[in-house]
Amino acid sequence: PPTDMTAQEIATALRSAVASAGRPLDVLAFDACLMANFEMTGWLAGSADLLVASEDVIPGTGFQYRDLRALTEDP
């Protein structure tokens, strides 16, 4: 089964990805509830130009990934 990552593990992985790419991500989006707390946003500073997250419960099933795929094909 999948395992959850801690906030610090997420931040470490993103710092590594940013260092490898040589630039921050354009957009970092969390499709999980309660991810935008103050500590998390501080740990992620500099990882992306734009953060999309919810500080509260996300209703429904989260992002519409088909719509997001269309954006990657024709931004």
Side-chain angles (χ1 to χ4, degrees), residues 28-30 32 35-36 51-55 58 63:
L28 174 60
F30 286 113
M35 290 296 295
L51 173 65
V52 179
S54 175
E55 63 181 287
I58 297 173
F63 295 137

Side-chain angles (χ1 to χ4, degrees), residues 21-48:
R23 64 181 290 282
L25 301 169
D26 294 326
V27 177
L28 174 60
F30 286 113
D31 189 10
C33 301
L34 309 170
M35 290 296 295
N37 61 44
F38 181 76
E39 292 84 2
M40 190 67 178
T41 57
W43 287 329
L44 299 176
S47 297

